[in-house]
Amino acid sequence: MLPFIRSDLAQFSAYKPHPSSDTNQAVDSSTHIDRLDTNESAEDLPPQLKAKLVWEYQELIENNRYPDGGHEELKNAIAAYVNESAHLSPSVFSAANISVGNGSDELIRSLLIASCLGGEGSILVAQPTFSMYGILAKTLGIPVVTVPRDETNFAIDLQAAQAAMETTQSPPIRVVFVVHPNSPTGNALTNPELAWLRSLPEHILVVIDEAYFEFSQTTLVGELAQHPNWVVLRTFSKAFRLAAHRVGYCIAHPDAIAILEKVRLPYNLTSFSLAAALLVMKNRQVLLESIPQTLAERTKLIQALRQNPALKVWDSAANFIFSRLQAHDSVSPSVDIKTIHQRLKASGTLVREINNGLRITVGTVEENVRTLKRMQAALASLECVSH
Ligand SMILES: *Cc1c(COP(=O)(O)O)cnc(C)c1O
């Protein structure tokens, strides 16, 4: 360890991004590599929109100039979309309710800096959930309190959560992070969970991450006015097909937005990313047309995977599904899930192995057919080994 580095950082490992190069060696060049491990959209922008973006880069973006650091045009477009998609009047949210980040990851970090830094607060998460809350908190020296979920439906253990709120000290819990619907498990917030969030006092920041809103079509933005301590996060990385551009946004009370604007870096988005985000907002209709097909493919994939008695497959409100091996005596589910994950990878399908299960992104029709075929083969080979 370098002697000038904060001592608590020694124990952390860096977030492992897409395992690109090593996986390409695992399969021969004729095999399709299906990247179903990060819940991106299966499709790039349609060619005419990609061409439009290229044109904007060519004609409008000056490489020698700093980007628009105020994001005003994009914020207006996002506010209009948020109102429209939640069936609210066009005046409910405006640019003053929006802050834009370099991915929602930046916004998560800004929220942590603004609320908990300097020993002022801990955060609460219910495991399993999106890993970045804990990772980012720890790199800032912010303690992470975890509570479990029900193993059958992944509902948050609300008794444990309430007890943690009441007993955690030095520092007390300042922020509760929930994903709606949750990753990796795909379940939306339940009525008891919502009632609990509504009951939290105003000195607790409630972060509702709606990264998969376009797939779930359920949102809590309509309740933000009654709860000035709630913020909603969204991203352009999933349904809007812009994972490469790193754009996320926060919807909140203008006072909370003002703080986020203070904390962020002045030019946190590149001119190209701003152009891409604005382009997808202007063309949202056409991009959102593909959502029903993704949802239909999700249903098909779940039903087909459930044909296999070795698998337990949960319902999902997002563009991915969560699956585990059915408990059975002769084998160890945790070892076997790793084997299945490796076999899928060797046959060209990348999925996320997480919390004793697999999180599988819903892909194109062709990709999903291959997922089923390769899953069948991986499970069959496991049967051979264990008997
Ligand atoms: C994918 C995802 C995000 C998006 O992060 P970006 O930094 O915007 O790419 C945020 N939250 C959750 C739960 C996600 O799954």
Side-chain angles (χ1 to χ4, degrees):
M1 191 64 183
L2 298 168
F4 47 81
I5 300 299
R6 239 172 60 203
S7 55
D8 61 327
L9 283 180
Q11 65 202 82
F12 308 142
S13 38
Y15 180 79
K16 266 210 234 91
H18 242 326
S20 51
S21 49
D22 63 320
T23 39
N24 291 341
Q25 292 159 7
V27 285
D28 64 83
S29 55
S30 62
T31 310
H32 289 275
I33 304 286
D34 297 336
R35 294 189 292 178
L36 305 176
D37 57 341
T38 45
N39 299 344
E40 297 143 323
S41 167
E43 308 278 1
D44 195 348
L45 295 176
Q48 71 277 16
L49 286 189
K50 205 168 176 181
K52 181 96 197 306
L53 189 57
V54 171
W55 179 88
E56 288 189 13
Y57 176 65
Q58 186 76 37
E59 300 298 325
L60 303 182
I61 291 179
E62 299 171 288
N63 290 291
N64 57 320
R65 299 294 174 192
Y66 282 110
D68 162 22
H71 312 148
E72 207 61 19
E73 195 183 1
L74 179 58
K75 286 179 178 186
N76 281 319
I78 290 170
Y81 165 62
V82 171
N83 290 326
E84 171 193 286
S85 62
H87 313 288
L88 300 169
S89 125
S91 59
V92 172
F93 293 111
S94 70
N97 298 100
I98 309 290
S99 184
V100 190
N102 190 272
S104 8
D105 290 351
E106 185 199 3
L107 295 162
I108 294 164
R109 174 139 67 184
S110 294
L111 288 165
L112 290 167
I113 290 171
S115 57
C116 292
L117 205 61
E120 290 210 19
S122 306
I123 70 163
L124 181 83
V125 294
Q127 291 289 18
T129 194
F130 189 48
S131 62
M132 287 312 291
Y133 313 128
I135 291 172
L136 292 172
K138 286 177 189 163
T139 63
L140 295 169
I142 296 168
V144 180
V145 178
T146 65
V147 294
R149 289 171 184 270
D150 183 295
E151 280 292 304
T152 57
N153 62 7
F154 300 113
I156 298 170
D157 182 338
L158 292 176
Q159 269 186 340
Q162 185 57 32
M165 299 302 295
E166 286 165 13
T167 59
T168 304
Q169 274 158 18
S170 58
I173 291 167
R174 268 279 170 83
V175 189
V176 174
F177 282 95
V178 292
V179 197
H180 182 48
N182 190 42
S183 175
T185 51
N187 51 312
L189 289 167
T190 61
N191 285 331
E193 288 168 337
L194 288 170
W196 181 69
L197 294 176
R198 290 180 190 118
S199 78
L200 291 173
E202 286 195 5
H203 63 271
I204 304 294
L205 171 64
V206 176
V207 181
I208 300 146
D209 188 337
E210 296 186 353
Y212 301 97
F213 159 68
E214 285 78 13
F215 304 103
S216 73
Q217 287 301 319
T218 62
T219 177
L220 293 173
V221 295
E223 288 193 52
L224 285 177
Q226 294 108 272
H227 301 285
N229 58 318
W230 287 18
V231 307
V232 170
L233 295 179
R234 300 260 188 89
T235 180
F236 286 80
S237 299
K238 308 283 158 62
F240 283 117
R241 314 184 193 183
L242 292 188
H245 288 275
R246 313 298 305 122
V247 189
Y249 59 98
C250 179
I251 314 157
H253 190 280
D255 291 351
I257 294 299
I259 302 293
L260 285 175
E261 292 291 297
K262 265 193 227 185
V263 166
R264 74 172 170 85
L265 296 175
Y267 302 110
N268 57 336
L269 264 72
T270 69
S271 299
F272 198 40
S273 294
L274 284 168
L278 199 56
L279 183 79
V280 303
M281 280 293 93
K282 286 180 178 160
N283 294 277
R284 57 185 180 267
Q285 231 60 53
V286 75
L287 294 171
L288 294 174
E289 274 168 17
S290 69
I291 301 289
Q293 184 186 337
T294 304
L295 301 186
E297 281 296 301
R298 180 183 72 196
T299 305
K300 268 169 54 188
L301 193 57
I302 289 174
Q303 285 170 351
L305 286 171
R306 280 180 182 159
Q307 298 299 308
N308 200 311
L311 284 180
K312 177 154 178 51
V313 184
W314 277 265
D315 288 334
S316 169
N319 68 334
F320 57 83
I321 58 179
F322 187 69
S323 156
R324 279 181 179 159
L325 290 172
Q326 296 280 14
H328 86 76
D329 1 301
S330 60
V331 287
S332 143
S334 64
V335 174
D336 287 343
I337 209 74
K338 289 189 162 53
T339 309
I340 300 282
H341 177 246
Q342 284 306 321
R343 299 256 158 91
L344 285 173
K345 183 168 162 180
S347 62
T349 292
L350 308 182
V351 301
R352 185 84 195 272
E353 188 244 310
I354 184 167
N355 294 100
N356 268 331
L358 299 177
R359 192 194 64 193
I360 307 169
T361 309
V362 178
T364 61
V365 176
E366 296 74 24
E367 284 174 329
N368 300 333
V369 168
R370 285 193 290 271
T371 298
L372 286 170
K373 217 173 65 192
R374 291 168 179 174
M375 179 66 90
Q376 225 105 54
L379 287 166
S381 68
L382 194 67
E383 295 293 306
C384 297
V385 174
S386 61
H387 294 291

